[in-house]
Amino acid sequence: MVAMNTLGCVTLSLWIGLSYSFAPTPIQRMKLHLAAQAEDDGIIQPLFDNKQPISRADLFEYSSRIIGLSLILPQAAQAKCTDIESCREEGERKIEADLKLNPIMRLSDGVNYRVLRPSTLPGPKVKDGSSIELIYSISTASGQYMYSKGFGFEKVSFGGKQQSDLGLDSMRVLVGEHNVPVGIESALIGMGKGERRRVELPPGVGFETSNWQPEPITRRGITQIEQYKRKLVGFGSQPPFPAETVWDIEVLGIRN
């Protein structure tokens, strides 16, 4: 590649300087490289010849060609917000748009759920009496993790060593038999294979309706569920509080 002359480099520097005032990013360096290559390949005809005087019109034309080339090149990402208020507004707009595409479904028993991932597979849907295989993850309403099965957050013994339970563990549920809380059974109705939902579970249709099933098996999970029980009934100077839990559930298989 023939090196660009001094005025050509100055022109390119001015072009880059239109948008940036710091050291060139990889995208900027790519623009400089492609612009120089375009001149070598004849896409942009060189206007500068060290043996001839250079007019302002020549400089303007050369700059225009370079800028025109930049329109087809990737642009550096620009910040969408510059302060807390504008970031908050941007976040609210995204949440509002997401809710329009994926609204919260409210059931008669007080359960709310959203579809995190729809089912794209043909086959039966969950109904009362269905035998299903599922995985779940349970958190408090504030987002604190409690325990799970099959989501990859816990360990199971496999091949003689402890491994993530992702893809290695699941739970068999007969809908209507209260193997899981009644509110979770309600949220399961209509789900297809591969579908994932996030369920806000009120205590009135929560753990007590399934005799506190499914039970945790880890020390952390046991501690978390005991703390949740104390919160429901009150402890010390704290009065009872009807705390919700949040469940992510995914159906792996359905038999009707």
Side-chain angles (χ1 to χ4, degrees):
M1 180 183 296
V2 178
M4 298 184 67
N5 57 37
T6 302
L7 283 175
C9 291
V10 169
T11 304
L12 285 175
S13 298
L14 289 173
W15 167 54
I16 294 297
L18 292 175
S19 302
Y20 308 101
S21 58
F22 300 101
T25 66
I27 287 179
Q28 293 167 358
R29 287 194 294 270
M30 182 181 71
K31 287 179 176 180
L32 287 168
H33 171 79
L34 289 179
Q37 185 66 55
E39 180 174 315
D40 289 344
D41 294 341
I43 297 173
I44 297 178
Q45 296 296 327
L47 297 176
F48 304 119
D49 186 337
N50 292 329
K51 298 180 181 179
Q52 297 182 7
I54 300 165
S55 68
R56 291 185 178 181
D58 290 336
L59 183 61
F60 179 78
E61 182 179 352
Y62 192 84
S63 300
S64 298
R65 291 179 184 179
I66 293 292
I67 293 172
L69 178 63
S70 74
L71 297 177
I72 63 173
L73 298 177
Q75 301 298 314
Q78 300 296 317
K80 294 185 178 181
C81 57
T82 57
D83 53 59
I84 293 177
E85 185 63 23
S86 60
C87 287
R88 181 187 62 78
E89 292 175 354
E90 179 68 20
E92 289 177 350
R93 284 194 293 270
K94 289 182 177 180
I95 292 173
E96 184 178 355
D98 183 47
L99 286 174
K100 287 181 179 179
L101 293 174
N102 188 11
I104 296 175
M105 306 302 294
R106 306 184 188 280
L107 305 182
S108 59
D109 55 8
V111 171
N112 298 328
Y113 75 82
R114 293 185 67 195
V115 177
L116 299 181
R117 184 177 65 207
S119 174
T120 58
L121 302 172
K125 303 297 184 183
V126 176
K127 61 182 181 180
D128 193 29
S130 293
S131 177
I132 64 174
E133 183 181 357
L134 62 78
I135 58 177
Y136 64 85
S137 176
I138 310 171
S139 303
T140 65
S142 62
Q144 184 176 8
Y145 174 74
M146 296 175 69
Y147 58 97
S148 64
K149 183 182 286 287
F151 263 74
F153 305 142
E154 305 286 357
K155 300 289 186 180
V156 293
S157 180
F158 184 80
K161 57 183 179 181
Q162 293 292 305
Q163 297 190 33
S164 163
D165 68 354
L166 182 65
L168 297 177
D169 205 1
S170 60
M171 179 182 182
R172 179 74 64 177
V173 172
L174 185 62
V175 179
E177 293 295 315
H178 308 332
N179 310 122
V180 292
V182 168
I184 295 299
E185 290 183 327
S186 298
L188 284 166
I189 300 299
M191 290 184 70
K193 183 177 180 180
E195 184 172 344
R196 182 177 292 188
R197 293 180 179 180
R198 177 163 294 162
V199 184
E200 297 174 3
L201 185 68
V205 287
F207 278 109
E208 292 183 347
T209 63
S210 62
N211 195 27
W212 293 92
Q213 300 293 321
E215 290 181 323
I217 58 175
T218 64
R219 180 181 302 176
R220 174 188 174 90
I222 293 171
T223 299
Q224 288 293 320
I225 202 69
E226 289 302 323
Q227 291 178 352
Y228 178 68
K229 288 179 180 179
R230 289 200 298 270
K231 185 178 292 186
L232 291 180
V233 300
F235 60 96
S237 60
Q238 299 297 321
F241 181 74
E244 294 185 341
T245 51
V246 178
W247 297 54
D248 284 0
I249 53 176
E250 181 178 335
V251 173
L252 304 181
I254 307 169
R255 180 181 298 176
N256 288 333

